[in-house]
Amino acid sequence: MGCASFVVAVALLSCLWVGPAVVQAEDPYLFFEWHITYGTISPLGVPQQGILINGQFPGPRINSTSNNNIVVNVFNELDEPFLLTWYGIQQRKNSWQDGTAGTTCPIQPGTNFTYHFQVKDQIGSYYYFPTTALHRAAGGFGPLQVMSRDLIPVPFDTPADDYSMVVGDWYARGHKSLKKLLDSGRSLGRPDGVHINGKSGKVGVNAEPLFTMEAGKTYRYRVCNVGLKTSVNFRIQGHSLKLVEMEGSHTVQNVYESLDVHVGQCFSALVTADQEPKDYYAVVSTRFSRKPLTAVGIIRYANGKGPASPELPPPPPETPTGAIAWSVNQFRSFRWNLTASAARPNPQGSYHYGQINITRTIKLVNSKALVDGKLRYTVNGVSHLDSTATPLKLAEYFEVPDKVFSYNLMQDAPEPSNNKVVVAPNVVNGTFRNFVEIIFENPEKTIQTWHLDGYSFFAVAIEPGKWSPEKRKNYNLLDAVSRHNIHVYPGSWAAVMTTLDNAGMWNLRSEMWENAYLGQQLYLSVLSPARSLRDEYNVPDNTQLCGIVKDLPKPAPYTI
């Protein structure tokens, strides 16, 4: 591809890679070249237009190790601007690579952009997906896993193999039709089906197996919900699931018959092939929906004899109160494995997050409203509107934020008597290295999930009703799982805690993509007063500039 050798990693950034290739310098480098195209896919058995990466749907899996440098050269061969985000990768000091509308100029059709980031001090199960328009509804997503370095012991024996599954709801309409629905002020409505790795298998239909297991061996299954709006339940016929990792944290290894996976969430479970050698169904079914949707995939034993039983393992309770109570109890059973040796969050030099004083409480209440007759979703009365010309981070870095947005339109708690909806870019100032508490309160009748780019947080509580300060006595202040996504049941609240120690511009959003697209998100601006390379990287040389900053001289770079 025009690169004679892998001598100096930085010099290779201008070259093309079919990848992955590995450079042995500093921490290892992984290089990829991805071509984003349209193609025909059939997740629900009916052909439709999808978004492929190198001809694949879902996209290729990235296998990496903690501290690896990942370089992905993305060629946009669609007819629309395109961006990818690396969901759950913290991009330490490097929000330039986050791939959201608030941080990055979109990759224009017929052009390319090279992402360059490090999976620094992270392990676990993640994925990537497009953040532009409704592209997520057409594909462009795939798994990304980060393994522990060889010197770091993992709290379970090395599995016989490592299997990735991206699952979620699916719409038969194309992404452009779905976008038109939202732009016209209407909802997407209910999905048409669910998929497992891009296919919606049916009971009794012959199909190629998803994965193969050998009797007596144990396998790691990584499952991520990449859907648009629907929680799902995952289970494997005749087999139990030993939970070992969740969104970058090793967990206490409880055993479950099935696991709820809410939108945006990932987990790893160990599955031992301890049943009669034959086929078994992996099952994904929707949760909290009036008409459950189900997809199956075949798990085959090597040298097994016989098809899978048509009798599927039953789902958890589906009555409204029973479903939520069951799911809440499962959430409360999740615990951080405090004895595991691994990369882990270290707020203010202490693993004891429950002993750190809270410096700020942000209470976010989601709602919906009609603005000029069109549906909008809000957080504390503000409905975020992307700056279509200039990403917020670039405007801030080039010191012209006042020409693009205003800080702190949203208050730290909703104003009870104010029903006015403000539609504008929603940017909140965060104080560098402050320890904050974020409360998500959901008065709606549907479940919510929330995600914060750039960080992990301690998910300390989920309870019904409204939050008040005395609820803190119910927090898990010892071993709450450190993760980056939290779900909030209807009529309930959730509390998380984190240290704002990662300078940059970070997206806090609903992962219900309809809600996020129509305003239920904000950006948290965390600036280091020192303006030092110790805290944040300079804008990369290959950064695309657009909007009002396109022809501006670059500010003086940060130094040590």
Side-chain angles (χ1 to χ4, degrees):
M1 299 298 295
C3 294
S5 62
F6 298 136
V7 179
V8 181
V10 174
L12 288 171
L13 293 182
S14 61
C15 301
L16 307 182
W17 303 276
V18 177
V22 181
V23 171
Q24 298 298 331
E26 311 165 17
D27 289 305
Y29 276 69
L30 305 178
F31 293 93
F32 303 85
E33 178 180 312
W34 284 1
H35 292 263
I36 313 300
T37 62
Y38 289 126
T40 301
I41 59 175
S42 304
L44 302 183
V46 179
Q48 64 183 103
Q49 185 188 69
I51 293 177
L52 314 180
I53 300 178
N54 292 351
Q56 299 179 43
F57 170 76
R61 180 172 71 172
I62 294 180
N63 296 315
S64 64
T65 300
S66 180
N67 283 359
N68 280 178
N69 294 281
I70 297 178
V71 181
V72 188
N73 196 357
V74 177
F75 289 78
N76 179 13
E77 298 173 18
L78 306 181
D79 57 355
E80 297 180 333
F82 185 80
L83 279 176
L84 286 170
T85 193
W86 315 93
Y87 189 72
I89 302 302
Q90 293 178 17
Q91 309 289 2
R92 303 296 297 178
K93 306 194 293 185
N94 197 19
S95 63
W96 309 110
Q97 306 296 324
D98 201 35
T100 63
T103 61
T104 313
C105 298
I107 308 169
Q108 296 300 318
T111 68
N112 68 297
F113 174 71
T114 301
Y115 292 90
H116 180 195
F117 58 92
Q118 188 176 24
V119 287
K120 187 171 179 58
D121 294 332
Q122 288 188 261
I123 56 96
S125 306
Y126 308 97
Y127 63 93
Y128 56 85
F129 71 90
T131 55
T132 36
L134 266 291
H135 292 147
R136 180 172 176 167
F141 49 70
L144 192 168
Q145 63 185 45
V146 186
M147 306 293 290
S148 294
R149 287 171 287 172
D150 289 340
L151 295 176
I152 305 298
V154 175
F156 49 87
D157 292 336
T158 301
D161 212 335
D162 195 310
Y163 296 139
S164 293
M165 302 175 71
V166 287
V167 306
D169 55 21
W170 194 265
Y171 289 80
R173 292 190 181 191
H175 68 95
K176 292 183 180 180
S177 295
L178 295 175
K179 183 176 180 296
K180 285 181 180 178
L181 270 179
L182 296 184
D183 289 342
S184 69
R186 291 175 288 171
S187 171
L188 296 181
R190 297 177 189 171
D192 298 299
V194 290
H195 72 91
I196 303 174
N197 283 355
K199 296 181 179 179
S200 181
K202 305 299 180 186
V203 172
V205 176
N206 289 328
E208 290 296 315
L210 287 169
F211 307 111
T212 299
M213 302 195 296
E214 293 185 26
K217 294 185 177 180
T218 297
Y219 296 79
R220 182 174 185 168
Y221 283 77
R222 302 174 187 260
V223 182
C224 294
N225 185 342
V226 301
L228 296 184
K229 65 187 301 181
T230 312
S231 299
V232 299
N233 179 267
F234 174 78
R235 52 203 184 272
I236 297 178
Q237 196 175 46
H239 295 74
S240 58
L241 307 170
K242 179 184 285 188
L243 185 68
V244 294
E245 177 261 330
M246 179 178 293
E247 296 169 37
S249 290
H250 292 307
T251 61
V252 172
Q253 296 177 13
N254 296 326
V255 176
Y256 302 88
E257 295 303 310
S258 69
L259 284 163
D260 278 353
V261 198
H262 307 285
V263 177
Q265 295 182 358
C266 296
F267 70 77
S268 291
L270 298 180
V271 177
T272 299
D274 55 4
Q275 300 299 307
E276 176 190 353
K278 64 184 189 74
D279 287 354
Y280 295 87
Y281 284 124
V283 185
V284 170
S285 58
T286 56
R287 295 283 276 150
F288 320 120
S289 53
R290 294 179 184 176
K291 185 180 179 181
L293 303 167
T294 301
V296 300
I298 293 172
I299 306 296
R300 178 161 292 168
Y301 275 59
N303 302 316
K305 297 180 180 179
S309 166
E311 185 177 342
L312 298 181
E318 281 299 345
T319 59
T321 54
I324 291 173
W326 187 95
S327 194
V328 168
N329 286 335
Q330 184 170 89
F331 166 81
R332 289 174 175 166
S333 73
F334 300 149
R335 291 289 188 269
W336 196 22
N337 188 339
L338 299 180
T339 64
S341 298
R344 61 173 63 196
N346 187 14
Q348 296 188 356
S350 171
Y351 296 133
H352 303 292
Y353 65 93
Q355 299 174 21
I356 303 173
N357 291 330
I358 297 168
T359 54
R360 183 180 182 184
T361 297
I362 303 173
K363 180 181 176 182
L364 303 178
V365 179
N366 56 270
S367 62
K368 58 183 177 181
L370 291 179
V371 178
D372 297 329
K374 293 184 177 182
L375 177 65
R376 296 292 301 184
Y377 291 95
T378 71
V379 186
N380 292 3
V382 179
S383 184
H384 175 77
L385 188 67
D386 281 328
S387 170
T388 56
T390 309
L392 308 171
K393 176 61 179 174
L394 284 173
E396 184 177 72
Y397 185 80
F398 279 80
E399 300 178 341
V400 290
D402 55 312
K403 296 183 179 181
V404 177
F405 65 90
S406 298
Y407 290 103
N408 301 321
L409 293 177
M410 189 196 79
Q411 303 301 309
D412 281 4
E415 300 178 42
S417 59
N418 186 3
N419 295 320
K420 182 181 178 181
V421 174
V422 176
V423 181
N426 191 0
V427 182
V428 174
N429 271 323
T431 302
F432 189 49
R433 294 202 173 103
N434 267 16
F435 189 67
V436 301
E437 170 189 55
I438 305 175
I439 310 299
F440 301 97
E441 196 169 275
N442 178 20
E444 305 289 332
K445 296 180 180 179
T446 54
I447 193 169
Q448 268 278 6
T449 62
W450 291 89
H451 162 81
L452 176 58
D453 283 351
Y455 297 92
S456 61
F457 48 61
F458 298 100
V460 296
I462 291 179
E463 288 191 359
K466 294 185 177 182
W467 180 86
S468 58
E470 58 267 22
K471 299 290 186 180
R472 291 183 181 128
K473 67 179 183 295
N474 298 332
Y475 286 4
N476 175 1
L477 297 180
L478 175 64
D479 58 358
V481 177
S482 173
R483 55 195 301 184
H484 57 78
N485 180 298
I486 188 67
H487 52 286
V488 194
Y489 299 100
S492 301
W493 59 268
V496 304
M497 294 174 165
T498 192
T499 301
L500 301 182
D501 60 354
N502 191 13
M505 180 79 74
W506 304 108
N507 193 205
L508 173 58
R509 63 179 176 268
S510 169
E511 277 305 306
M512 323 309 273
W513 207 246
E514 170 181 315
N515 299 41
Y517 182 83
L518 293 179
Q520 214 154 73
Q521 57 175 301
L522 59 95
Y523 282 84
L524 193 61
S525 171
V526 182
L527 293 173
S528 164
R531 297 179 71 84
S532 167
L533 286 176
R534 289 190 299 269
D535 301 326
E536 185 174 12
Y537 298 141
N538 288 308
V539 59
D541 289 339
N542 73 322
T543 296
Q544 301 178 89
L545 301 181
C546 53
I548 64 172
V549 306
K550 185 174 182 180
D551 299 316
L552 294 180
K554 286 188 178 180
Y558 297 160
T559 60
I560 294 295

